[in-house]
C-alpha cells in the first residue's frame, strides 16, 4: 500500500485568515478581541496587531509607487495631526516589540522629544522630532505607512458621531479615501446593502464610541478580485474593472489561478493620547487554486459562493464569475 505525500503548504496559505465559520455568509459586526490566536485547517493567524510577512518589502514598495502617482491617497485634516503622531508612536512600538532583533524605537540622546527609528528589514535609520511633521518623510502618517503593510484610517469622535478625518489608503477594495475623508462613519458605509436596515452600522458605531483608551478589537471582511492586485481603489477602476468581465469566460484552470479570495483583517484601537479610533486594514489574497489545497476551505467557500444572496454578490462585484467559481470549487 502506498501513501500520498502532500506538498507542504506555503506560508501564504498557512498564515491566511480564512474568514468563514459556516457555509453561509451575512453581514455582521463580527467583532472579537484582538491578539487572540485563531487556529485554522492550514495553520493559524491573529496573535498580534501587526503582521510582517514575506510580502513586506514588495507591498511597501507598491505603496510608495502608488503614493508617488497619487498623493491624495494620504489625506490628513488639520485637526488630526495629534492623532497621526499618536498612531505613529503606538505602532512603531508595536513593531519593535514584534521584531526586537530587527527594529527599535529609542530616544535620541537626552532630548525628550527626539527619537531614532531603526528598521533593519528595510535598511533604514530615521531620526525625528515628536510633533514635527517636517522631521519625517510625508509626515507621521506617511512614514507609518512606509513601515507597516496595513492601510490606515483615523476616526475622530465628535457631535455624537465618528468621522473619517485622516488616512493613508493605497490598497482599497473598490472605495476611495479621497471621496470618504471628512465623512461620518454612517455615510461611509452608505452603499452597503442590508446593513442599515438591520442596524449593523449604527450598532458598530455605538460600540466604537464606547471603546476605552487602549482597547483593541478586530474583525474580518472579504470580497474577491482578479489577480493579486492590491490597489483596487475607485480611482483605478478602469485598470482593474475590465478584468472582472474578461475572466468570467476564462477556462477553468485560468479562472482558478486568477480569481482571488481577498480578506481584510481590520483592527480597531482606541488611542490613548489623542482619543482617536485607529482603524487598520490589512489585506491578504489567496487564489482559488491555492485555497483548494486545503479541502475544508475549498468546500466551505464553494458553498458560501453558491448560497450568497444576489444583492450581496452584486455589491461585492462577484456577479459575473461567482457561479463559475462555486462550480469549480465544488465539482472540479
Amino acid at each position: 500500500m502506498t501513501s500520498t505525500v502532500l506538498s507542504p503548504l506555503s506560508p501564504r496559505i498557512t498564515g491566511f485568515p480564512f474568514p468563514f465559520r459556516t457555509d453561509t455568509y451575512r453581514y455582521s459586526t463580527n467583532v472579537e478581541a484582538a491578539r487572540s490566536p485563531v487556529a485554522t485547517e492550514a495553520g493559524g493567524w491573529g496573535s498580534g496587531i501587526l503582521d510582517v510577512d514575506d510580502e513586506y518589502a514588495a507591498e511597501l514598495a507598491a505603496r510608495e509607487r502608488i503614493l508617488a502617482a497619487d498623493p491624495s491617497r494620504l489625506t490628513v485634516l488639520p485637526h488630526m495631526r495629534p492623532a497621526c503622531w499618536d498612531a505613529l508612536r503606538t505602532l512603531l512600538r508595536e513593531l519593535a516589540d514584534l521584531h526586537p532583533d530587527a527594529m527599535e524605537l529609542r530616544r535620541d540622546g537626552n532630548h525628550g522629544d527626539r527619537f531614532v527609528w531603526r528598521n533593519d528589514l528595510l535598511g533604514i535609520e530615521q531620526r525625528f522630532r515628536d510633533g514635527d511633521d517636517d522631521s519625517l518623510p510625508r509626515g507621521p502618517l506617511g512614514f507609518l505607512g512606509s513601515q507597516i503593510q496595513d492601510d490606515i484610517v483615523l476616526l475622530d469622535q465628535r457631535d455624537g458621531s465618528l468621522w473619517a478625518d485622516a488616512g493613508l489608503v493605497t490598497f482599497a477594495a473598490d472605495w476611495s479615501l479621497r471621496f470618504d475623508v471628512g465623512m461620518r462613519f454612517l455615510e461611509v458605509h452608505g452603499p452597503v446593502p442590508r446593513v442599515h436596515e438591520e442596524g449593523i452600522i449604527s450598532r458598530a458605531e455605538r460600540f466604537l464610541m464606547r471603546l476605552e483608551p487602549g482597547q483593541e478589537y478586530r474583525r474580518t471582511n472579504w470580497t474577491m478580485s482578479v489577480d493579486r492586485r492590491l490597489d483596487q481603489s475607485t480611482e483605478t477602476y478602469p485598470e482593474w474593472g475590465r478584468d472582472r468581465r474578461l475572466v468570467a469566460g476564462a477556462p477553468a484552470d485560468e479562472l482558478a489561478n486568477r480569481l482571488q479570495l481577498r480578506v481584510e483583517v481590520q483592527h480597531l484601537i482606541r488611542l490613548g493620547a489623542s482619543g482617536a479610533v485607529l482603524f487598520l486594514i490589512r489585506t491578504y489574497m489567496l487564489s482559488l487554486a491555492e485555497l483548494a489545497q486545503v479541502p475544508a476551505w475549498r468546500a466551505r467557500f464553494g458553498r458560501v459562493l453558491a448560497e450568497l444572496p444576489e444583492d450581496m454578490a452584486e455589491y461585492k462585484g462577484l456577479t459575473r464569475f461567482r457561479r463559475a467559481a462555486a462550480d469549480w470549487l465544488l465539482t472540479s
Side-chain angles (χ1 to χ4, degrees), residues 35 79 130 159 179 182 215 229 275:
R35 304 182 192 273
H79 67 280
D130 194 8
D159 302 329
F179 181 78
Q215 284 191 306
R229 182 190 177 98

Side-chain angles (χ1 to χ4, degrees), residues 14 24 31 43 46 50 71 92 95 97 104 140 142 185 200 228 233 242 244 246 256 292 296 298 310 314 329:
T14 58
T24 60
V31 173
L50 300 174
L92 289 188
L95 273 177
D97 289 342
E104 179 188 26
F185 185 82
I200 293 171
R228 290 187 60 80
S233 65
R242 63 180 180 272
R244 290 180 174 178
L246 296 175
R298 178 176 193 154
E310 193 60 37
E314 176 67 28
L329 289 165

Side-chain angles (χ1 to χ4, degrees), residues 159-288:
D159 302 329
S161 297
L162 293 172
W163 302 77
D165 284 349
L168 190 162
V169 179
T170 53
F171 305 144
D174 202 7
W175 62 282
S176 168
L177 175 70
R178 182 192 306 168
F179 181 78
D180 287 351
V181 74
M183 293 176 65
R184 291 177 61 216
F185 185 82
L186 293 174
E187 295 170 332
V188 169
H189 294 88
V192 184
R194 300 179 179 230
V195 294
H196 293 279
E197 297 88 336
E198 298 171 14
I200 293 171
I201 298 303
S202 57
R203 289 199 304 273
E205 183 178 44
R206 290 195 296 272
F207 172 81
L208 291 174
M209 289 195 295
R210 290 195 298 269
L211 288 181
E212 296 293 329
Q215 284 191 306
E216 306 168 330
Y217 288 87
R218 72 173 180 226
R219 66 184 300 272
T220 58
N221 191 25
W222 71 277
T223 185
M224 292 183 73
S225 62
V226 181
D227 301 326
R228 290 187 60 80
R229 182 190 177 98
L230 281 167
D231 179 18
Q232 295 198 14
S233 65
T234 306
E235 287 87 348
T236 59
Y237 179 81
E239 300 173 23
W240 56 265
R242 63 180 180 272
D243 293 335
R244 290 180 174 178
R245 299 187 297 273
L246 296 175
V247 79
D253 287 347
E254 180 181 344
L255 188 84
N257 282 290
R258 294 191 66 191
L259 282 182
Q260 312 281 324
L261 172 58
R262 180 183 177 117
V263 176
E264 295 175 351
V265 176
Q266 303 173 350
H267 278 94
L268 306 151
I269 303 167
R270 175 74 78 175
L271 295 174
S274 65
V277 175
L278 173 62
F279 181 35
L280 296 174
I281 310 165
R282 177 64 191 281
T283 301
Y284 300 82
M285 288 185 285
L286 211 59
S287 72
L288 297 190

